Amino acid sequence: MSSFKPLVFSGVQPTGNLHLGNYLGAIKKFVALQDQSDCIYCVVDLHSLTAQLVHDDLEDQTRQITAAFLASGIDPMKHIVFNQSRVMQHAELAWIFNCVARIGWMNRMTQFKDKAGKDRENASLGLLAYPSLMAADILVYRATHVPVGEDQKQHLELTRDIAQKFNNDFSGRIAARGLGVEMQVGEETVQGYFPITEPVIGGPAARIMSLRDGSKKMSKSDPSDLSRINLTDDADTISKKIKKAKTDPDALPSEVKGLESRPEADNLVGIYAGLADMTAEQVLAEFGGRQFSVFKPALADLAVEKLAPVAGEMRRIMADTTYVDGVLRDGGERAGALAEATMRDVRSIIGLLQD
Ligand code: AMP
Ligand code: TRP
């Protein structure tokens, strides 16, 4: 009996500017995982239609996320970088998963509730089915590990539920075709066609908060630009935003426990730790007892040192659209071949006639 080969998949939507939360919570992890496994990184353009159908510059937004991936150090030759809509098998598998998943599962998603707001009847059907497409993105490659920020945890649990239900509902037909793979889920050894994917969440930067309000996550949609550091901000802007970040009047504690109920301080320490590849403990060992008048300039210098080269490289790459488009085309071809191999199995398992 075979077992699943480790494979990393993740996606980022081409909507708005990338910010420090995206970088530390997701992209930096994408880069780190390249040395351990094969990785597939996707600009999920179809997902960006769920909240807003008409975009003036979806092409450029897609190129911008691609440039951020490349500028951060993702190697498109060793791994795969592409935009989702090129590989139509994502949408095909999403349809099948729409028939596997239950409406109740979708209705429970906090992101759907937040994004749909009060007028749920008027949200797009795509917004409700969003997690089904996300499960298809991952499972069309039978990926085993998915690095994301904390906010995506619930969607990944749903991905596991969809894989499990498919494996159970079709267990006889999977076994009859010899397509079952053995896997360890908790204590149990089970068999199925789709892996039960592991989220890769955690570290000090899994949830970066707004610089203006430590109770809100740093987000593309916050009306205040001072609430976030954009990956395209220049050195002066980065420094200014950190110096203006909300804090409290106390010095930094020397223990992590002292950050409890100090959300802004906790956030800035987490950002420092994420940028420096340190733990919060290590940051406090260095800065415990210091005032923000000392910590903020050190954080600003660190942020500029780490982010300004990425921004510069992004601008350089963005200027060469032929190169960027070539990366996406080549990645799409390689991803498409892998996805089609899965779909041939899936069609056969379900009983959809094909040649
Ligand atoms: P999105 O821009 O919503 O497609 O998010 C891209 C990735 O960034 C996902 O893995 C998110 O979980 C992650 N992310 C977004 N905002 C934050 C944040 N404030 N802190 C940490 N990770 C985040
Ligand atoms: N939902 C993710 C976000 O908003 C983006 C995404 C789409 C994704 N498909 C994915 C992330 C598959 C990981 C794996 O951040």
Side-chain angles (χ1 to χ4, degrees):
M1 181 66 59
S2 56
S3 59
F4 289 106
K5 195 170 153 249
L7 177 67
V8 172
F9 181 94
S10 196
V12 176
Q13 295 196 56
T15 42
N17 262 342
L18 279 175
H19 54 71
L20 185 65
N22 301 130
Y23 181 69
L24 291 179
I27 298 177
K28 203 159 174 261
K29 284 194 208 140
F30 299 177
V31 175
L33 286 163
Q34 292 184 108
D35 296 334
Q36 301 160 27
S37 313
D38 289 334
C39 301
I40 304 179
Y41 295 127
C42 184
V43 185
V44 289
D45 46 10
L46 294 175
H47 272 110
S48 73
L49 309 182
T50 60
Q52 182 191 337
L53 179 60
V54 182
H55 296 252
D56 286 336
D57 52 2
L58 189 52
E59 293 96 336
D60 267 352
Q61 300 275 6
T62 300
R63 292 185 183 114
Q64 200 182 104
I65 306 290
T66 309
F69 285 175
L70 303 175
S72 305
I74 291 170
D75 182 344
M77 308 292 279
K78 287 206 187 105
H79 301 277
I80 294 180
V81 173
F82 74 109
N83 58 309
Q84 183 186 33
S85 58
R86 268 175 207 274
V87 179
M88 62 201 176
Q89 287 82 353
H90 289 235
E92 184 185 0
L93 187 58
W95 177 258
I96 290 164
F97 287 169
N98 281 343
C99 302
V100 172
R102 310 287 92 185
I103 295 175
W105 300 2
M106 301 292 163
N107 271 327
R108 278 197 287 280
M109 294 293 112
T110 55
Q111 185 172 301
F112 173 66
K113 289 192 242 181
D114 288 350
K115 289 204 177 163
K118 287 203 181 73
D119 192 7
R120 267 207 221 179
E121 290 289 309
N122 207 25
S124 77
L125 191 51
L127 191 67
L128 181 66
Y130 179 114
S132 184
L133 178 59
M134 179 161 162
D137 296 338
I138 297 164
L139 295 174
V140 85
Y141 304 102
R142 301 209 277 170
T144 56
H145 292 84
V146 181
V148 280
E150 180 79 35
D151 60 345
Q152 296 301 311
K153 196 170 173 200
Q154 198 186 28
H155 287 157
L156 291 184
E157 281 160 10
L158 192 76
T159 300
R160 292 163 67 94
D161 292 342
I162 289 176
Q164 209 140 30
K165 186 167 188 308
F166 183 96
N167 288 345
N168 288 338
D169 289 354
F170 290 103
S171 60
R173 298 180 61 94
I174 292 168
R177 284 161 184 73
L179 290 172
V181 176
E182 219 162 64
M183 64 194 120
Q184 194 74 27
V185 180
E187 306 277 275
E188 262 181 290
T189 305
V190 297
Q191 244 198 58
Y193 181 72
F194 287 119
I196 307 301
T197 304
E198 291 291 337
V200 184
I201 303 175
R207 191 171 166 81
I208 300 293
M209 310 309 280
S210 155
L211 298 179
R212 306 301 297 165
D213 177 352
S215 68
K216 281 203 312 206
K217 108 180 155 165
M218 186 178 284
S219 127
K220 293 168 181 170
S221 55
D222 195 310
S224 165
D225 196 54
L226 284 174
S227 72
R228 65 184 158 259
I229 293 174
N230 301 307
L231 227 46
T232 47
D233 284 345
D234 61 24
D236 283 350
T237 311
I238 296 173
S239 293
K240 187 184 86 188
K241 286 178 175 175
I242 290 179
K243 287 177 187 153
K244 288 201 166 172
K246 189 177 164 201
T247 45
D248 55 42
D250 297 336
L252 282 172
S254 44
E255 305 278 333
V256 173
K257 217 173 159 359
L259 291 171
E260 278 171 19
S261 69
R262 293 181 64 188
E264 283 84 14
D266 187 28
N267 189 38
L268 294 184
V269 169
I271 291 174
Y272 194 104
L275 286 169
D277 290 315
M278 288 162 80
T279 61
E281 283 84 356
Q282 288 168 329
V283 176
L284 293 180
E286 202 173 321
F287 289 99
R290 300 298 192 91
Q291 296 292 336
F292 281 105
S293 56
V294 176
F295 182 62
K296 276 184 169 180
L299 177 58
D301 285 350
L302 176 67
V304 168
E305 178 197 324
K306 299 286 179 183
L307 300 178
V310 177
E313 188 63 4
M314 248 177 98
R315 271 192 292 277
R316 192 186 66 76
I317 295 171
M318 274 293 282
D320 191 350
T321 44
T322 314
Y323 170 65
V324 175
D325 291 2
V327 165
L328 295 173
R329 186 180 316 114
D330 170 66
E333 276 168 21
R334 288 186 286 141
L338 299 172
E340 178 57 15
T342 302
M343 288 315 297
R344 292 199 70 80
D345 290 347
V346 170
R347 293 181 206 114
S348 157
I349 290 167
I350 296 176
L352 302 169
L353 283 177
Q354 62 187 337
D355 292 332

Short mmCIF file of all heavy atoms in Angstrom, two decimals, residues 9-13 44 47 84 111 115 130 133-134 137-138 146-148 151-152 155-156, ligand 2:
data_model
loop_
_atom_site.label_atom_id
_atom_site.label_comp_id
_atom_site.label_asym_id
_atom_site.label_seq_id
_atom_site.Cartn_x
_atom_site.Cartn_y
_atom_site.Cartn_z
N PHE A 9 0.74 22.99 -0.76
CA PHE A 9 -0.04 23.87 -1.65
C PHE A 9 -0.52 25.07 -0.85
O PHE A 9 -0.94 24.92 0.30
CB PHE A 9 -1.28 23.14 -2.20
CG PHE A 9 -2.08 24.01 -3.14
CD1 PHE A 9 -1.86 23.95 -4.51
CD2 PHE A 9 -3.00 24.94 -2.65
CE1 PHE A 9 -2.56 24.79 -5.37
CE2 PHE A 9 -3.70 25.79 -3.50
CZ PHE A 9 -3.48 25.71 -4.87
N SER A 10 -0.47 26.25 -1.43
CA SER A 10 -1.19 27.37 -0.83
C SER A 10 -1.58 28.38 -1.90
O SER A 10 -1.06 28.35 -3.02
CB SER A 10 -0.40 28.06 0.28
OG SER A 10 -1.28 28.87 1.04
N GLY A 11 -2.51 29.26 -1.54
CA GLY A 11 -3.01 30.26 -2.49
C GLY A 11 -3.17 31.61 -1.84
O GLY A 11 -3.37 31.71 -0.64
N VAL A 12 -3.04 32.64 -2.68
CA VAL A 12 -3.27 34.02 -2.22
C VAL A 12 -4.16 34.69 -3.26
O VAL A 12 -3.95 34.54 -4.47
CB VAL A 12 -1.94 34.79 -2.06
CG1 VAL A 12 -2.20 36.25 -1.69
CG2 VAL A 12 -1.05 34.13 -1.00
N GLN A 13 -5.14 35.45 -2.78
CA GLN A 13 -6.05 36.13 -3.71
C GLN A 13 -5.43 37.38 -4.30
O GLN A 13 -4.76 38.13 -3.58
CB GLN A 13 -7.30 36.58 -2.96
CG GLN A 13 -8.12 35.44 -2.44
CD GLN A 13 -9.51 35.92 -2.05
OE1 GLN A 13 -10.22 36.51 -2.86
NE2 GLN A 13 -9.88 35.69 -0.82
N VAL A 44 -5.01 32.82 -6.62
CA VAL A 44 -6.37 32.27 -6.78
C VAL A 44 -7.32 33.33 -7.34
O VAL A 44 -8.14 33.92 -6.63
CB VAL A 44 -6.88 31.64 -5.46
CG1 VAL A 44 -6.14 30.34 -5.18
CG2 VAL A 44 -6.75 32.55 -4.25
N HIS A 47 -11.14 32.82 -6.93
CA HIS A 47 -11.66 33.18 -5.60
C HIS A 47 -11.94 34.68 -5.49
O HIS A 47 -12.83 35.09 -4.76
CB HIS A 47 -10.66 32.78 -4.50
CG HIS A 47 -10.86 31.39 -4.02
ND1 HIS A 47 -9.97 30.38 -4.27
CD2 HIS A 47 -11.85 30.83 -3.28
CE1 HIS A 47 -10.41 29.26 -3.71
NE2 HIS A 47 -11.54 29.50 -3.12
N GLN A 84 -4.78 30.25 -10.79
CA GLN A 84 -5.80 29.20 -10.65
C GLN A 84 -6.64 28.97 -11.92
O GLN A 84 -6.89 27.83 -12.31
CB GLN A 84 -6.71 29.66 -9.50
CG GLN A 84 -7.81 28.76 -9.06
CD GLN A 84 -8.64 29.50 -8.01
OE1 GLN A 84 -8.80 30.72 -8.06
NE2 GLN A 84 -9.16 28.77 -7.05
N GLN A 111 -15.85 33.32 7.96
CA GLN A 111 -15.49 34.28 6.91
C GLN A 111 -16.70 34.60 6.03
O GLN A 111 -16.89 35.75 5.63
CB GLN A 111 -14.34 33.75 6.05
CG GLN A 111 -13.87 34.76 5.03
CD GLN A 111 -12.60 34.33 4.29
OE1 GLN A 111 -11.55 34.09 4.88
NE2 GLN A 111 -12.71 34.24 2.99
N LYS A 115 -18.12 38.30 5.63
CA LYS A 115 -18.12 38.96 4.31
C LYS A 115 -19.53 39.19 3.78
O LYS A 115 -19.77 40.16 3.08
CB LYS A 115 -17.29 38.16 3.30
CG LYS A 115 -15.81 38.23 3.59
CD LYS A 115 -14.98 37.97 2.35
CE LYS A 115 -13.50 38.12 2.67
NZ LYS A 115 -12.62 37.52 1.68
N TYR A 130 -17.20 29.27 -1.61
CA TYR A 130 -15.76 29.58 -1.59
C TYR A 130 -14.90 28.44 -1.01
O TYR A 130 -13.89 28.04 -1.61
CB TYR A 130 -15.61 30.88 -0.78
CG TYR A 130 -14.23 31.44 -0.57
CD1 TYR A 130 -13.88 32.67 -1.14
CD2 TYR A 130 -13.29 30.81 0.24
CE1 TYR A 130 -12.63 33.22 -0.91
CE2 TYR A 130 -12.05 31.36 0.46
CZ TYR A 130 -11.72 32.55 -0.12
OH TYR A 130 -10.49 33.10 0.09
N LEU A 133 -14.23 25.49 -3.40
CA LEU A 133 -13.19 25.74 -4.41
C LEU A 133 -11.81 25.67 -3.75
O LEU A 133 -10.86 25.15 -4.34
CB LEU A 133 -13.42 27.11 -5.07
CG LEU A 133 -12.40 27.56 -6.12
CD1 LEU A 133 -12.32 26.57 -7.28
CD2 LEU A 133 -12.75 28.96 -6.67
N MET A 134 -11.72 26.16 -2.53
CA MET A 134 -10.43 26.10 -1.83
C MET A 134 -10.02 24.65 -1.57
O MET A 134 -8.85 24.28 -1.75
CB MET A 134 -10.56 26.89 -0.52
CG MET A 134 -9.32 26.90 0.32
SD MET A 134 -9.36 28.26 1.50
CE MET A 134 -8.08 27.69 2.63
N ASP A 137 -8.73 23.32 -4.80
CA ASP A 137 -7.36 23.80 -5.09
C ASP A 137 -6.34 22.85 -4.48
O ASP A 137 -5.34 22.49 -5.11
CB ASP A 137 -7.11 25.18 -4.45
CG ASP A 137 -7.98 26.29 -4.99
OD1 ASP A 137 -8.49 26.14 -6.11
OD2 ASP A 137 -8.15 27.31 -4.28
N ILE A 138 -6.59 22.50 -3.23
CA ILE A 138 -5.63 21.70 -2.47
C ILE A 138 -5.66 20.25 -2.91
O ILE A 138 -4.64 19.62 -3.17
CB ILE A 138 -5.98 21.80 -0.96
CG1 ILE A 138 -5.87 23.25 -0.48
CG2 ILE A 138 -5.13 20.84 -0.13
CD1 ILE A 138 -6.55 23.51 0.87
N VAL A 146 -0.63 22.60 4.05
CA VAL A 146 -1.09 23.89 3.56
C VAL A 146 -0.70 25.01 4.54
O VAL A 146 -1.30 25.15 5.60
CB VAL A 146 -2.63 23.89 3.35
CG1 VAL A 146 -3.10 25.25 2.82
CG2 VAL A 146 -3.04 22.78 2.40
N PRO A 147 0.33 25.81 4.18
CA PRO A 147 0.71 26.94 5.03
C PRO A 147 -0.24 28.12 4.82
O PRO A 147 -0.45 28.55 3.68
CB PRO A 147 2.12 27.29 4.54
CG PRO A 147 2.17 26.79 3.12
CD PRO A 147 1.22 25.65 3.01
N VAL A 148 -0.81 28.62 5.89
CA VAL A 148 -1.73 29.77 5.83
C VAL A 148 -1.67 30.52 7.16
O VAL A 148 -1.11 30.02 8.13
CB VAL A 148 -3.21 29.36 5.63
CG1 VAL A 148 -3.54 29.05 4.19
CG2 VAL A 148 -3.59 28.21 6.54
N ASP A 151 -6.41 32.87 10.14
CA ASP A 151 -7.79 33.11 9.69
C ASP A 151 -8.31 32.03 8.74
O ASP A 151 -9.52 31.95 8.50
CB ASP A 151 -7.91 34.51 9.04
CG ASP A 151 -7.01 34.67 7.83
OD1 ASP A 151 -6.09 33.85 7.63
OD2 ASP A 151 -7.23 35.63 7.07
N GLN A 152 -7.43 31.20 8.20
CA GLN A 152 -7.87 30.17 7.24
C GLN A 152 -8.08 28.80 7.88
O GLN A 152 -8.38 27.82 7.19
CB GLN A 152 -6.86 30.05 6.09
CG GLN A 152 -6.76 31.31 5.25
CD GLN A 152 -8.09 31.67 4.66
OE1 GLN A 152 -8.78 30.83 4.06
NE2 GLN A 152 -8.50 32.91 4.82
N HIS A 155 -11.43 27.07 7.23
CA HIS A 155 -11.56 26.58 5.85
C HIS A 155 -10.79 25.27 5.66
O HIS A 155 -11.20 24.40 4.89
CB HIS A 155 -11.04 27.61 4.85
CG HIS A 155 -11.96 28.78 4.69
ND1 HIS A 155 -11.53 30.01 4.23
CD2 HIS A 155 -13.28 28.91 4.92
CE1 HIS A 155 -12.56 30.84 4.18
NE2 HIS A 155 -13.64 30.19 4.60
N LEU A 156 -9.66 25.15 6.34
CA LEU A 156 -8.87 23.92 6.19
C LEU A 156 -9.53 22.75 6.92
O LEU A 156 -9.43 21.60 6.47
CB LEU A 156 -7.44 24.13 6.67
CG LEU A 156 -6.62 25.06 5.78
CD1 LEU A 156 -5.19 25.16 6.26
CD2 LEU A 156 -6.64 24.60 4.33
N1 TRP B 2 -8.78 31.44 1.21
C1 TRP B 2 -7.40 31.81 1.16
C2 TRP B 2 -7.27 33.25 1.70
O1 TRP B 2 -8.12 34.06 1.54
C3 TRP B 2 -6.84 31.73 -0.24
C4 TRP B 2 -6.87 30.35 -0.79
C5 TRP B 2 -7.64 29.87 -1.82
C6 TRP B 2 -6.09 29.25 -0.33
N2 TRP B 2 -7.37 28.57 -2.04
C7 TRP B 2 -6.43 28.15 -1.15
C8 TRP B 2 -5.16 29.11 0.67
C9 TRP B 2 -5.87 26.90 -0.96
C10 TRP B 2 -4.59 27.83 0.87
C11 TRP B 2 -4.94 26.75 0.05
O2 TRP B 2 -6.26 33.57 2.21
#
